[in-house]
Amino acid sequence: TRMAGLTLYHAAPSRSSSVRWMLEELGEPYGIELLALKEGEHLTAAYKAINPMAKVPALRHGDVVITEAAAICTYLADEFLGARLNMPVGDPRRGPYLKWLFFGPSCIEPAIIDRAMPRKEEPRRGMLGYGDFDTVMEVTAKAVAAGPYLLGDRFTAADVVVGSTIRFGITFEVLPKLPEFMAYIDRLLARPAMQRTLALDEELAGANA
């Protein structure tokens, strides 16, 4: 692991909270560079040099900069093996683990956004990377119901990514409050790292209000 520290480019509340939760799960020291989105701090040339997409989160680890929340969580799980938040290469569960890390941003999140901002006409199922909303919900609900986590008893970065996305969808009332989702969120909320993240972000949101 690179000796230099970890810095999260963060805004609260925002999608970067999932990476903050991941960092809290790791238990490694990290710094926060807070960006006030309302004031356009993410649009400055200085920040675009870090993330040309002008979005949070971005993570600096030594000389490496990683963007995209699921990519950051995957990277951290592989870099800090002591936290046991990844499925190592060679473990048969690495396949499903990677599937869920990609499924969160490429299926669940687009399904949520499309539901929140519907198109004028229904697109053909084959045109959408995620197929259709109901299938995504069904597949996700079945996976979290088998639990307690996506990979059985082992909590991983996949739960951080998928759990954050489900929580986001429920909070903004674009995901159905399926009993499987609500029970899964409760299990995640019971985790001390998640509780710390919510408390820390609430503090930041309050300071920014």
Side-chain angles (χ1 to χ4, degrees):
T1 297
R2 287 161 193 80
M3 294 311 288
L6 292 161
T7 303
L8 173 64
Y9 295 86
H10 182 54
S14 82
R15 284 181 175 87
S16 62
S17 296
S18 60
V19 176
R20 184 167 209 178
W21 173 24
M22 182 71 189
L23 288 163
E24 287 292 328
E25 291 282 357
L26 284 183
E28 295 287 331
Y30 65 92
I32 289 273
E33 285 276 337
L34 212 53
L35 296 168
L37 303 183
K38 278 183 192 151
E39 281 147 48
E41 287 180 3
H42 55 307
L43 302 171
T44 62
Y47 185 63
K48 280 184 180 172
I50 293 158
N51 186 357
M53 288 294 288
K55 295 183 346 181
V56 291
L59 181 88
R60 188 186 289 285
H61 180 212
D63 303 327
V64 179
V65 172
I66 313 100
T67 61
E68 300 306 317
I72 297 170
C73 290
T74 308
Y75 172 88
L76 288 171
D78 283 341
E79 284 288 307
F80 296 92
L81 294 173
R84 296 188 76 245
L85 293 170
N86 81 337
M87 284 293 175
V89 172
D91 188 310
R93 292 170 299 175
R94 187 162 172 90
Y97 164 75
L98 290 172
K99 188 275 287 279
W100 288 114
L101 284 165
F102 283 73
F103 194 86
S106 64
C107 292
I108 307 175
E109 194 171 324
I112 290 174
I113 301 303
D114 280 354
R115 181 52 59 106
M117 293 179 256
R119 293 173 168 83
K120 287 186 177 66
E121 53 194 62
E122 202 57 36
R124 294 201 311 278
R125 188 182 194 277
M127 298 284 291
L128 299 174
Y130 63 85
D132 66 85
F133 185 85
D134 292 340
T135 305
V136 173
M137 294 309 114
E138 205 176 296
V139 167
T140 309
K142 197 174 169 191
V144 299
Y149 302 117
L150 286 166
L151 294 150
D153 290 336
R154 174 93 170 261
F155 176 86
T156 67
D159 292 292
V160 174
V161 170
V162 171
S164 297
T165 309
I166 292 175
R167 240 187 112 245
F168 167 80
I170 298 275
T171 305
F172 291 98
E173 301 189 339
V174 282
L175 275 192
K177 290 188 175 174
L178 300 177
E180 297 93 330
F181 288 167
M182 304 315 279
Y184 179 56
I185 289 171
D186 282 346
R187 292 195 290 278
L188 299 177
L189 287 170
R191 297 185 65 80
M194 168 69 109
Q195 291 168 13
R196 287 195 302 274
T197 306
L198 292 174
L200 290 163
D201 272 359
E202 217 163 280
E203 226 170 272
L204 288 180
N208 279 346

